[in-house]
Amino acid sequence: MSRKSPITNLLFFLLIFLFAFSAAGKSRSHHPRRPCRHLVFYFHDIIYNGENAENATSAIVGAPAWGNTTILAGQNHFGDMVVFDDPITMDNNLHSPAVGRAQGFYIYDRKEIFTAWLGFSFVFNSTEHRGSLNFAGADPLMNKTRDVSVIGGTGDFFMARGIATLSTDSFEGEVYFRLRADINLYECW
Ligand SMILES: *[C@@H]1O[C@H](CO)[C@@H](O)[C@H](O)[C@H]1NC(C)=O
Ligand SMILES: *[C@@H]1O[C@H](CO)[C@@H](O)[C@H](O)[C@H]1NC(C)=O
Ligand SMILES: *[C@@H]1O[C@H](CO)[C@@H](O)[C@H](O)[C@H]1NC(C)=O
Ligand SMILES: *[C@@H]1O[C@H](CO)[C@@H](O)[C@H](O)[C@H]1NC(C)=O
């Protein structure tokens, strides 16, 4: 009577097997770490320098007490805040047709090294894309690539989330720089 039947044994092992399997399933991510969408854009920042008001796409709007809003301050521009409305292009040419605008601000936030904090949106109103993508994060400028968060989107990018890998594609004497944004979305609707 105390001897278990082979059927009971089989059920027991089946149960253990199922349990182990479901535990292994849980430890795996529900979202595979593969992007659902990949996009590459360039945006072009021409900083006002006291002489280029016509072309400038960005302006210093805040400076520390020891600086001014015409020229970026010393000590790695610490304390300067810049507002921008930059054209976005599909390639690295400033004069290519713009597919949207990169709009937002950056704050230089360390005296010791050249680094910034970025908060901006890509605003699209073209035949390719309509809507916006919103970005935020630290931008350690001396690094070849920097990852910032894609924290949301609207329109064609409804509820988008992901990572944008930024790299400085060109840097010309504190007047012009061009960033390449390599965007991988991990949430797409
Ligand atoms: C700014 O605009 C002027 C006049 O259109 C042009 O000559 C100059 O090259 C432009 N500068 C830049 C940096 O694009
Ligand atoms: C602004 O600051 C820069 C350097 O920090 C200086 O060369 C320039 O003369 C200042 N301009 C004004 C208008 O104060
Ligand atoms: C987007 O483009 C359309 C067509 O060119 C225009 O009617 C509309 O006002 C634009 N919207 C914005 C927010 O710029
Ligand atoms: C950025 O560069 C610094 C110094 O070269 C390095 O220590 C750091 O790990 C880099 N950060 C990232 C996110 O790559």
mmCIF file of all heavy atoms in Angstrom, residues 46 52 54-56 94-95 172 175-176, ligand 1:
data_model
loop_
_atom_site.group_PDB
_atom_site.id
_atom_site.type_symbol
_atom_site.label_atom_id
_atom_site.label_comp_id
_atom_site.label_asym_id
_atom_site.label_seq_id
_atom_site.Cartn_x
_atom_site.Cartn_y
_atom_site.Cartn_z
ATOM 1 N N ILE A 46 24.021 75.541 -34.535
ATOM 2 C CA ILE A 46 24.849 76.731 -34.785
ATOM 3 C C ILE A 46 24.614 77.674 -33.607
ATOM 4 O O ILE A 46 23.511 78.200 -33.433
ATOM 5 C CB ILE A 46 24.471 77.421 -36.119
ATOM 6 C CG1 ILE A 46 24.595 76.432 -37.293
ATOM 7 C CG2 ILE A 46 25.353 78.654 -36.350
ATOM 8 C CD1 ILE A 46 23.997 76.936 -38.595
ATOM 9 N N ASN A 52 26.397 85.999 -35.365
ATOM 10 C CA ASN A 52 25.686 85.171 -36.351
ATOM 11 C C ASN A 52 24.193 85.046 -36.032
ATOM 12 O O ASN A 52 23.607 83.970 -36.201
ATOM 13 C CB ASN A 52 26.341 83.787 -36.421
ATOM 14 C CG ASN A 52 26.321 83.080 -35.072
ATOM 15 O OD1 ASN A 52 25.954 83.675 -34.051
ATOM 16 N ND2 ASN A 52 26.698 81.822 -35.072
ATOM 17 N N GLU A 54 21.634 85.740 -37.588
ATOM 18 C CA GLU A 54 20.788 85.266 -38.687
ATOM 19 C C GLU A 54 20.780 83.756 -38.802
ATOM 20 O O GLU A 54 19.733 83.153 -39.038
ATOM 21 C CB GLU A 54 21.272 85.864 -40.010
ATOM 22 C CG GLU A 54 20.652 87.221 -40.272
ATOM 23 C CD GLU A 54 21.129 87.809 -41.587
ATOM 24 O OE1 GLU A 54 21.286 87.056 -42.576
ATOM 25 O OE2 GLU A 54 21.344 89.031 -41.612
ATOM 26 N N ASN A 55 21.940 83.137 -38.662
ATOM 27 C CA ASN A 55 22.022 81.687 -38.847
ATOM 28 C C ASN A 55 21.887 80.887 -37.559
ATOM 29 O O ASN A 55 21.652 79.690 -37.628
ATOM 30 C CB ASN A 55 23.387 81.229 -39.395
ATOM 31 C CG ASN A 55 23.875 82.024 -40.542
ATOM 32 O OD1 ASN A 55 23.737 83.232 -40.556
ATOM 33 N ND2 ASN A 55 24.463 81.327 -41.487
ATOM 34 N N ALA A 56 22.105 81.535 -36.455
ATOM 35 C CA ALA A 56 22.192 80.770 -35.206
ATOM 36 C C ALA A 56 20.917 79.970 -34.983
ATOM 37 O O ALA A 56 19.807 80.460 -35.215
ATOM 38 C CB ALA A 56 22.437 81.719 -34.042
ATOM 39 N N LEU A 94 24.417 69.797 -43.572
ATOM 40 C CA LEU A 94 23.594 70.876 -42.990
ATOM 41 C C LEU A 94 22.566 71.392 -43.988
ATOM 42 O O LEU A 94 21.497 71.852 -43.607
ATOM 43 C CB LEU A 94 24.529 72.007 -42.524
ATOM 44 C CG LEU A 94 23.934 73.350 -42.109
ATOM 45 C CD1 LEU A 94 23.020 73.198 -40.905
ATOM 46 C CD2 LEU A 94 25.045 74.346 -41.790
ATOM 47 N N HIS A 95 22.911 71.319 -45.283
ATOM 48 C CA HIS A 95 22.041 71.909 -46.292
ATOM 49 C C HIS A 95 21.077 70.904 -46.929
ATOM 50 O O HIS A 95 20.329 71.260 -47.844
ATOM 51 C CB HIS A 95 22.893 72.611 -47.355
ATOM 52 C CG HIS A 95 23.782 73.663 -46.741
ATOM 53 N ND1 HIS A 95 23.279 74.828 -46.216
ATOM 54 C CD2 HIS A 95 25.122 73.689 -46.513
ATOM 55 C CE1 HIS A 95 24.279 75.542 -45.702
ATOM 56 N NE2 HIS A 95 25.403 74.874 -45.867
ATOM 57 N N GLU A 172 33.049 72.399 -34.835
ATOM 58 C CA GLU A 172 33.834 73.470 -35.442
ATOM 59 C C GLU A 172 33.863 74.694 -34.546
ATOM 60 O O GLU A 172 32.915 75.482 -34.496
ATOM 61 C CB GLU A 172 33.256 73.817 -36.821
ATOM 62 C CG GLU A 172 33.477 72.697 -37.829
ATOM 63 C CD GLU A 172 32.641 72.874 -39.104
ATOM 64 O OE1 GLU A 172 32.159 73.995 -39.365
ATOM 65 O OE2 GLU A 172 32.489 71.878 -39.818
ATOM 66 N N VAL A 175 31.180 77.045 -32.581
ATOM 67 C CA VAL A 175 30.096 77.747 -33.275
ATOM 68 C C VAL A 175 29.130 76.734 -33.871
ATOM 69 O O VAL A 175 27.918 76.918 -33.849
ATOM 70 C CB VAL A 175 30.639 78.668 -34.393
ATOM 71 C CG1 VAL A 175 29.493 79.324 -35.160
ATOM 72 C CG2 VAL A 175 31.524 79.746 -33.804
ATOM 73 N N TYR A 176 29.696 75.660 -34.421
ATOM 74 C CA TYR A 176 28.859 74.654 -35.076
ATOM 75 C C TYR A 176 29.238 73.278 -34.573
ATOM 76 O O TYR A 176 30.426 72.955 -34.457
ATOM 77 C CB TYR A 176 29.073 74.719 -36.593
ATOM 78 C CG TYR A 176 28.432 73.594 -37.369
ATOM 79 C CD1 TYR A 176 27.067 73.593 -37.645
ATOM 80 C CD2 TYR A 176 29.202 72.521 -37.828
ATOM 81 C CE1 TYR A 176 26.483 72.554 -38.359
ATOM 82 C CE2 TYR A 176 28.616 71.476 -38.548
ATOM 83 C CZ TYR A 176 27.256 71.502 -38.810
ATOM 84 O OH TYR A 176 26.679 70.476 -39.505
HETATM 85 C C1 LIG B 1 25.282 82.166 -42.320
HETATM 86 O O1 LIG B 1 24.533 82.813 -43.347
HETATM 87 C C2 LIG B 1 25.318 83.599 -44.205
HETATM 88 C C3 LIG B 1 24.380 84.326 -45.150
HETATM 89 O O2 LIG B 1 23.382 83.459 -45.644
HETATM 90 C C4 LIG B 1 26.312 82.716 -44.926
HETATM 91 O O3 LIG B 1 27.131 83.476 -45.750
HETATM 92 C C5 LIG B 1 27.159 81.957 -43.909
HETATM 93 O O4 LIG B 1 28.014 81.036 -44.546
HETATM 94 C C6 LIG B 1 26.276 81.214 -42.944
HETATM 95 N N1 LIG B 1 27.088 80.602 -41.921
HETATM 96 C C7 LIG B 1 26.958 79.318 -41.572
HETATM 97 C C8 LIG B 1 27.817 78.841 -40.451
HETATM 98 O O5 LIG B 1 26.185 78.556 -42.136
#
